[in-house]
C-alpha cells in the first residue's frame, strides 16, 4: 500500500528569491512600458509651444521679407546700371568712330599738316575760311578725346558698381534661402507638435481662439474711440473686411496675409503706401506710446517681430501667425508691446 507523504515545502530562502525576481520583472515591465509610451503633453502645453514656434517662424518670415525687398531693389538698381553701361558703351563707340575717321583721313593724305595742304591747294582764295574750319576741327578732336577719357572712367565706375551690387545680390539670395529654410522648419515642427493632439483637442483649441477673437471684436464696438486720422479709420475698416482670411508667409493679400502684408494692404486701400516689412514700417510714421494709441495706429510687439492695427479698447486687428486667421485679439495676449506708429 502506497504511503501518503506531504509534499516538501520550499525553503524560506527560495521563496524570497522568487518574490524578488517577480518584483524585478514587474518593475522592468513597467519601466519598458513607460519608455514606449511617454506621458502625453497637455493641450495647454502644446498650444504654448506651438505659439512659440509660430512666433519664431513669423520673425524669420519678416526677415525673409526684408531680404526679399532688398533683392528687388538691388535687381532694379543693377538693371538701371546695366542700361547706363550699355548706353555709355554706345556713346564711347561713337566717339571712337569719330576719332578713327579723322585718323584714317590723315593716314590716306600722307599725314601732311592740314594747314600746309590748304596752302598748296588749287583754291588759295578760300584758304582763310578753310584754315578756320581746320582750327575748329582740331579743337573738336581735342574735345572728343577728352570725352572719350571721361566716358571710359565713368564706364569703369559703373561696371565696378554693378559688379559690387551683383555680389550683394548673391549674398541676399543666400540669406533668403536661409530664412526660408528657418521658417519652414519652425512651421514643420509646430505641425508635428499639433499632430500629437487628437482631432477633438485641436477643435477645442481652435474654438477657444475663435471665442476670444469674437469677444475682442465686441470690445472694439464698445470702445467708440476717435480714430487716429481719416486714413487710419479707412485702413482699419479695410482690414476689418479681411477677418477670417488665413495667415501665409510673404503674402500681401487679397486672399491671405502675413502681419506686415495686412497692414500694408489695409493702408493701401486708404491711399497710403506703406513699406513692406515690420523693420521698415516702424519708420513710416511717428512713434507713440501705448497711452497715445488711437484706432488705425500701427502697433508693434516683441521687438519688431510683429505688427497689427490698433482697433481700440486695448484690441488689435492683425494676421497672427501661420495656421491662424486674420482676427481681433486683446493686446494683453500678444507679448511684449514695443511702440505704436501713427501714419
Amino acid at each position: 500500500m502506497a504511503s501518503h507523504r506531504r509534499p516538501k515545502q520550499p525553503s524560506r530562502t527560495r521563496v524570497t528569491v522568487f518574490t524578488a525576481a517577480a518584483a524585478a520583472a514587474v518593475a522592468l515591465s513597467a519601466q519598458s512600458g513607460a519608455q514606449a509610451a511617454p506621458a502625453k503633453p497637455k493641450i495647454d502645453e502644446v498650444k504654448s509651444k506651438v505659439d512659440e514656434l509660430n512666433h519664431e517662424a513669423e520673425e524669420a518670415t519678416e526677415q525673409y521679407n526684408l531680404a526679399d525687398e532688398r533683392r528687388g531693389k538691388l535687381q532694379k538698381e543693377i538693371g538701371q546700371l546695366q542700361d547706363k553701361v550699355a548706353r555709355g558703351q554706345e556713346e564711347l563707340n561713337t566717339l571712337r568712330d569719330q576719332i578713327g575717321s579723322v585718323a584714317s583721313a590723315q593716314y590716306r593724305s600722307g599725314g601732311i599738316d592740314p594747314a600746309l595742304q590748304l596752302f598748296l591747294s588749287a583754291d588759295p582764295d578760300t584758304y582763310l575760311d578753310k584754315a578756320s574750319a581746320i582750327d575748329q576741327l582740331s579743337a573738336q578732336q581735342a574735345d572728343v578725346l577728352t570725352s572719350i577719357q571721361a566716358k571710359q572712367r565713368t564706364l569703369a565706375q559703373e561696371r565696378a558698381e554693378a559688379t559690387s551690387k551683383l555680389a550683394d545680390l548673391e549674398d541676399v539670395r543666400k540669406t533668403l534661402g536661409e530664412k526660408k529654410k528657418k521658417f519652414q522648419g519652425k512651421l514643420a515642427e509646430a505641425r508635428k507638435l499639433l499632430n500629437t493632439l487628437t482631432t477633438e483637442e485641436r477643435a477645442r483649441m481652435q474654438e477657444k481662439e475663435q471665442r476670444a477673437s469674437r469677444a475682442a471684436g465686441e470690445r472694439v464696438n464698445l470702445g467708440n474711440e476717435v480714430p487716429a486720422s481719416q486714413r487710419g479709420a479707412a485702413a482699419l475698416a479695410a482690414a476689418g473686411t479681411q477677418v477670417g482670411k488665413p495667415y501665409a508667409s510673404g503674402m500681401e493679400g487679397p486672399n491671405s496675409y502675413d502681419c506686415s502684408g495686412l497692414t500694408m494692404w489695409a493702408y493701401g486701400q486708404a491711399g497710403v503706401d506703406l513699406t513692406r516689412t515690420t523693420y521698415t514700417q516702424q519708420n513710416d510714421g511717428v512713434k507713440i506710446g501705448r497711452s497715445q494709441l488711437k484706432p488705425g495706429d500701427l502697433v508693434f510687439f516683441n521687438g519688431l517681430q510683429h505688427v497689427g492695427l490698433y482697433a481700440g479698447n486695448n484690441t488689435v486687428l492683425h494676421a497672427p501667425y501661420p495656421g491662424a486667421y486674420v482676427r481681433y485679439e486683446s493686446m494683453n495676449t500678444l507679448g511684449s508691446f514695443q511702440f505704436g506708429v501713427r501714419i
Side-chain angles (χ1 to χ4, degrees), residues 90-108 136-149 151-152:
E90 289 178 0
E91 293 170 4
L92 183 59
N93 292 340
T94 299
L95 292 170
R96 283 173 173 167
D97 288 343
Q98 292 176 12
I99 291 296
S101 298
V102 173
S104 297
Q106 289 181 347
Y107 178 78
R108 286 194 300 271
Q136 291 175 4
L137 181 60
S138 297
Q140 183 181 6
Q141 289 178 45
D143 289 343
V144 170
L145 288 171
T146 301
S147 296
I148 286 176
Q149 291 175 333
K151 184 60 67 176
Q152 285 175 327

Side-chain angles (χ1 to χ4, degrees), residues 228-288:
S229 66
Q230 186 175 353
R231 287 181 172 177
L236 182 60
T241 66
Q242 304 305 293
V243 169
K245 291 191 176 180
Y247 179 105
S249 298
M251 300 307 292
E252 305 167 3
N255 298 317
S256 58
Y257 302 88
D258 60 23
C259 66
S260 56
L262 175 66
T263 52
M264 185 182 75
W265 179 88
Y267 263 97
Q269 307 312 299
V272 180
D273 292 329
L274 293 191
T275 51
R276 177 60 183 90
T277 71
T278 55
Y279 301 102
T280 54
Q281 287 182 6
Q282 65 160 326
N283 298 317
D284 287 346
V286 179
K287 289 184 174 64
I288 55 176

Side-chain angles (χ1 to χ4, degrees), residues 32-55:
S32 175
Q35 290 175 348
K40 184 178 178 180
K42 296 179 180 178
I43 186 170
D44 290 341
E45 294 173 350
V46 171
K47 185 181 186 313
S48 177
K49 183 60 178 175
V50 167
D51 287 348
E52 180 183 342
L53 288 168
N54 281 328
H55 287 313

Side-chain angles (χ1 to χ4, degrees), residues 114-279:
L116 181 59
Q117 292 180 42
L118 282 177
F119 182 75
L120 297 173
S121 69
D123 189 10
D125 293 337
T126 60
Y127 171 79
L128 292 176
D129 292 337
K130 291 183 178 181
S132 177
I134 285 294
D135 288 339
Q136 291 175 4
L137 181 60
S138 297
Q140 183 181 6
Q141 289 178 45
D143 289 343
V144 170
L145 288 171
T146 301
S147 296
I148 286 176
Q149 291 175 333
K151 184 60 67 176
Q152 285 175 327
R153 286 193 296 269
T154 300
L155 277 176
Q157 292 171 352
E158 289 172 346
R159 286 194 175 106
E161 188 178 354
T163 300
S164 175
K165 287 186 182 296
L166 283 168
D168 289 345
L169 181 60
E170 188 58 33
D171 289 342
V172 167
R173 283 176 173 155
K174 183 179 178 181
T175 300
L176 277 171
E178 292 171 351
K179 298 304 179 186
K180 186 173 184 179
K181 184 177 179 181
K182 182 177 180 180
F183 75 67
Q184 287 178 337
K186 295 294 182 182
L187 293 180
E189 194 176 347
R191 283 194 295 270
K192 183 178 178 180
L193 196 56
L194 278 173
N195 287 336
T196 64
L197 300 177
T198 65
T199 303
E200 291 77 11
E201 287 172 331
R202 290 197 295 270
R204 286 204 305 272
M205 189 168 69
Q206 186 176 12
E207 174 59 25
K208 184 178 179 181
E209 291 179 348
Q210 290 173 347
R211 285 199 306 270
S213 178
R214 288 193 294 269
E218 291 170 0
R219 285 198 304 274
V220 170
N221 294 332
L222 293 173
N224 295 322
E225 297 179 35
V226 178
S229 66
Q230 186 175 353
R231 287 181 172 177
L236 182 60
T241 66
Q242 304 305 293
V243 169
K245 291 191 176 180
Y247 179 105
S249 298
M251 300 307 292
E252 305 167 3
N255 298 317
S256 58
Y257 302 88
D258 60 23
C259 66
S260 56
L262 175 66
T263 52
M264 185 182 75
W265 179 88
Y267 263 97
Q269 307 312 299
V272 180
D273 292 329
L274 293 191
T275 51
R276 177 60 183 90
T277 71
T278 55
Y279 301 102

